[in-house]
Amino acid sequence: MLKVRTSLLNRLLARSYATAPSPHALVFLEHHQGDLDSASLSALTAASQLGGQVTGLVVGSPEEVPSVVEKAKRLNGLSTLLHSASPQYSTLLPETISPLFEKLLSQNSPFTHVVSAHSSSAKSILPRVAAKLDVPAVSDITSLEHDAASGSTTFTRPIYAGNAISTVRASSSIPIKFFTVRSTAFAAAGAEDAAGSEVKALDPVEVSDAPSEHLGTSLTKSDRPDLGVASRVVSGGRALKNAETFQSTLYPLADALGAAVGASRAAVDAGYADNSLQVGQTGKVVAPELYMALGISGAIQHLAGMKDSKLIIAVNKDPDAPIFQVADVGLVADLFEVVPEMVEKLKQ
Amino acid sequence: MRPSAVRLLNILVPIKRAVDYAVKIRVNPEQTGIDLNVKHSMNPFDEIAVEEAVRIRERLKDAVKSIKVVTIGPPKSAETLRTALAMGADSAIHVEIPESAPAPEPLGVAKTLKALIERQKEGVDVVIMGKQAIDDDAGQTGQMLAGLMGWSQATFASKVVVDPEQKVANVTREIDGGLEELRCKLPVIITTDLRQVHLQPRYASLPNIMKAKKKPVEKLTATDLGIDLTPRLETIKVTEPPKRVGGGKVANVDELLAKLKEVGITGKRA
């Protein structure tokens, strides 16, 4: 509570001196099956680091929204929670959702920043909204710093598949700063704050003749943890030979470790694993505690997706594979001998 | 309603010249960017977009009237346009920017594309482009263009089926955790995902490369279009990412597991 009061006070002071307004972030909180996405909780942490007020936004169908709001209103760092429910929000079509954002952000909008996870939905929606408001957007940031005096925000973000880090500044001339957050760079916000935030319902903006229509979704079902947020990942490459071998070799190890399964692009392209398991520049970026790369050579595109992992273990027959240059522990061996042995010994 | 002839489709494919995906890039000593004296090629996602456009024509035959490629970039980007023409595009537009000019931002590119679309006398029905450029990794241009035009959008597409009679495109998208199918009214902006096993971009044959040299390329500048491409975000510096140092190798599984144990990682008991 003290924090909120201080920021309020700051804002009043700032206003009276007619300098830049104190930051007020709008965080797009995504949810699935009644639970908030952990990547959105990381986005909330990033938004809190701006040092001002933070408002959350939950949109969805009338069936989903109430239970999500119950959870979201207790999130740490959130001063206000806005929610909007409509049957047309049951799938997040950018053409249907954008008008709600535009209404919220146009004319006398208190918001200085719009924040979301770097998720497939938010990546589709927010640039569309930013363009309509004639402001640039910053993608996939890994750190940020707001200068309250000048109203400018400085971000770092990876470019060239993570092979360079760019530091960019959005000055006060950009009235609303849009950015998406790399979830592995920020801890997820917790929900211990029992105080709760102020909850307000927003009328949905009806879009009558939307130019696109959702026909269906097929999600890859798995009992294992979700790749994007798993604390352990076991990943396989082309050396796994085929889809059957991929499964029969990697899945027991993943299960023995309680890990998610990932794959290199080579393994995905060869049809050994589903697209949604791909780790790399064109797939998912992960930063688990443990990343085990099995039969993966370590192309730069793959490294871009996993090199921020805490502990990288590589097993490869080729002692010169580039993966060994980043691996904390490497083992030059045939993975078909090593993996069953590991499974056996992990079970003991 | 009186019957009208099926509208012939005009497809626009924006492409970008970028540092080749296989190049190990190096940050320059001034920390203003990366060393650009390296091999460049067409952004891989855009290659997929060109391939997809050509395949749409192969499937729909005469229903596709034109495939036009466009790039916004320095003089050398002309090579990238020729590559796309050799892959099967009919004509090209090059919005040329000075070699020394800073790279335009997605919003500037989207505005330029909007201005170009508005100049097309026969209109544009399908814009198909990469989901992101592998240099700035922003992944915004397609969505921004869709917003500016007020058109439907289908990002991260892995399958595209255009129906010119119904004036719709059915698009399968890669989303977090699986796939999603959309039905988009034309005109539509589609951005392509690389994870398309079936879409290997074709190599241009020598005869096609020769033919591409004769295909028309219209040259314009941002000023011609009334667009200001000055970046609005200020790049303060570009640095090397923190180096990861390999921790060496172990001899066998037991040593490997011992290392895991050291950091508290053990098997999960069922």
Side-chain angles (χ1 to χ4, degrees):
Chain A
M1 275 319 283
L2 188 68
K3 205 172 169 189
V4 175
R5 286 214 189 97
T6 325
S7 71
L8 250 160
L9 190 70
N10 281 344
R11 191 166 62 133
L12 289 173
L13 283 173
R15 284 275 155 85
S16 64
Y17 286 103
T19 51
S22 156
H24 188 164
L26 179 70
V27 186
F28 180 41
L29 295 171
E30 295 178 73
H31 53 90
H32 282 102
Q33 293 167 336
D35 283 322
L36 288 154
D37 287 357
S38 134
S40 286
L41 302 180
S42 298
L44 172 55
T45 301
S48 304
Q49 290 181 7
L50 292 164
Q53 284 191 69
V54 180
T55 292
L57 173 64
V58 170
V59 292
S61 71
E63 298 81 50
E64 299 166 314
V65 166
S67 68
V68 178
V69 165
E70 271 316 300
K71 290 174 189 162
K73 71 179 185 190
R74 302 193 194 287
L75 288 173
N76 290 341
L78 214 54
S79 43
T80 311
L81 180 66
L82 304 174
H83 60 91
S84 191
S86 162
Q88 67 175 0
Y89 295 155
S90 58
T91 51
L92 295 178
L93 287 178
E95 297 87 331
T96 320
I97 299 280
S98 300
L100 179 72
F101 274 96
E102 283 161 43
K103 189 180 165 200
L104 202 52
L105 296 169
S106 55
Q107 290 159 26
N108 306 321
S109 156
F111 301 111
T112 56
H113 295 78
V114 177
V115 189
S116 78
H118 195 61
S119 66
S120 59
S121 310
K123 282 192 280 188
S124 300
I125 299 167
L126 293 190
R128 187 177 174 108
V129 178
K132 286 225 172 171
L133 300 170
D134 195 29
V135 290
V138 186
S139 297
D140 206 18
I141 65 132
T142 50
S143 75
L144 79 173
E145 200 176 335
H146 186 74
D147 177 12
S150 68
S152 69
T153 314
T154 305
F155 304 96
T156 63
R157 56 179 301 266
I159 54 173
Y160 291 93
N163 290 302
I165 306 294
S166 171
T167 305
V168 295
R169 178 157 55 209
S171 74
S172 58
S173 68
I174 298 166
I176 304 181
K177 299 164 181 74
F178 278 70
F179 61 95
T180 61
V181 173
R182 177 170 286 198
S183 56
T184 54
F186 296 87
E192 298 88 35
D193 195 345
S197 47
E198 191 191 346
V199 178
K200 284 186 210 160
L202 283 180
D203 289 333
V205 180
E206 289 300 329
V207 176
S208 51
D209 200 25
S212 68
E213 179 193 347
H214 179 262
L215 299 180
T217 301
S218 62
L219 297 178
T220 314
K221 288 188 185 69
S222 171
D223 300 332
R224 295 185 188 85
D226 183 57
L227 178 59
V229 295
S231 65
R232 299 171 183 187
V233 174
V234 169
S235 212
R238 206 201 303 267
L240 271 304
K241 289 197 177 101
N242 56 46
E244 292 72 44
T245 324
F246 188 92
Q247 295 189 5
S248 63
T249 314
L250 291 196
Y251 288 14
L253 178 61
D255 292 340
L257 283 164
V261 172
S264 72
R265 187 171 154 218
V268 169
D269 282 356
Y272 306 170
D274 190 80
N275 282 341
S276 60
L277 300 186
Q278 189 188 321
V279 172
Q281 186 185 16
T282 57
K284 286 216 167 59
V285 175
V286 300
E289 265 180 65
L290 168 68
Y291 188 87
M292 210 178 263
L294 303 164
I296 292 176
S297 62
I300 48 175
Q301 292 84 0
H302 186 76
L303 299 182
M306 46 66 82
K307 68 182 165 55
D308 294 327
S309 307
K310 275 219 184 84
L311 183 73
I312 299 175
I313 308 264
V315 177
N316 206 303
K317 268 207 290 207
D318 175 7
D320 300 322
I323 191 81
F324 288 123
Q325 290 164 22
V326 300
D328 300 289
V329 182
L331 176 57
V332 181
D334 182 352
L335 69 95
F336 294 109
E337 289 166 15
V338 164
V339 173
E341 190 185 340
M342 269 198 275
V343 174
E344 204 49 47
K345 288 183 172 160
L346 280 166
K347 279 183 181 161
Q348 285 164 15
Chain B
M1 239 173 66
R2 64 193 168 89
S4 58
V6 172
R7 169 84 144 75
L8 299 179
L9 298 177
N10 291 300
I11 303 177
L12 185 75
V13 189
I15 59 175
K16 183 176 188 179
R17 175 181 181 265
V19 169
D20 190 84
Y21 71 94
V23 169
K24 178 111 184 68
I25 60 114
R26 286 190 11 217
V27 171
N28 66 24
E30 304 80 41
Q31 296 201 329
T32 54
I34 71 144
D35 175 12
L36 290 172
N37 285 325
V38 292
K39 186 184 173 199
H40 281 62
S41 51
M42 195 190 308
N43 177 38
F45 294 102
D46 301 346
E47 244 182 337
I48 298 276
V50 176
E51 178 64 33
E52 184 64 54
V54 175
R55 289 198 191 192
I56 290 173
R57 168 144 67 194
E58 285 168 354
R59 286 195 293 269
L60 299 176
K61 309 280 184 230
D62 295 339
V64 173
K65 188 163 189 206
S66 75
I67 299 175
K68 195 172 263 193
V69 287
V70 51
T71 199
I72 299 151
K76 279 183 187 156
S77 308
E79 298 160 18
T80 312
L81 286 177
R82 292 289 168 198
T83 308
L85 292 170
M87 286 172 74
D90 306 313
S91 64
I93 305 173
H94 186 176
V95 179
E96 205 173 282
I97 57 173
E99 189 69 55
S100 56
E105 288 171 353
L107 184 57
V109 173
K111 286 179 181 176
T112 311
L113 293 173
K114 177 173 189 271
L116 286 173
I117 289 171
E118 283 164 353
R119 280 166 58 104
Q120 304 304 308
K121 287 193 194 72
E122 295 181 331
V124 170
D125 308 280
V126 176
V127 177
I128 180 158
M129 60 203 286
K131 73 161 181 179
Q132 77 188 64
I134 59 160
D135 46 12
D136 68 8
D137 286 331
Q140 300 166 354
T141 307
Q143 298 88 304
M144 288 184 154
L145 178 61
L148 295 177
M149 300 302 298
W151 289 2
S152 61
Q153 69 176 60
T155 46
F156 325 132
S158 61
K159 189 173 174 221
V160 178
V161 179
V162 180
D163 180 344
E165 280 174 40
Q166 302 286 324
K167 295 187 181 169
V168 293
N170 278 25
V171 182
T172 306
R173 304 177 56 222
E174 305 269 355
I175 56 168
D176 296 336
L179 297 170
E180 175 181 84
E181 200 182 347
L182 299 180
R183 187 176 172 85
C184 300
K185 287 183 195 162
L186 302 188
V188 62
I189 315 273
I190 297 166
T191 75
T192 55
D193 209 302
L194 198 59
R195 292 183 275 170
Q196 287 167 283
V197 181
H198 64 288
L199 263 195
Q200 252 337 307
R202 66 196 63 198
Y203 283 105
S205 64
L206 190 60
N208 285 343
I209 293 172
M210 299 311 289
K211 268 187 232 163
K213 292 190 176 168
K214 298 199 179 78
K215 290 182 180 176
V217 177
E218 185 185 0
K219 280 208 178 186
L220 294 166
T221 63
T223 323
D224 296 336
L225 298 165
I227 306 287
D228 180 5
L229 286 177
T230 315
R232 286 172 61 187
L233 297 165
E234 181 193 352
T235 299
I236 296 174
K237 63 177 177 181
V238 173
T239 50
E240 297 269 354
K243 276 262 181 299
R244 244 200 125 96
V245 198
K249 290 169 184 158
V250 292
N252 54 43
V253 170
D254 289 328
E255 286 183 23
L256 195 156
L257 293 177
K259 289 267 187 187
L260 281 184
K261 218 170 185 177
E262 268 174 38
V263 293
I265 295 175
T266 53
K268 186 188 144 196
R269 305 218 169 250

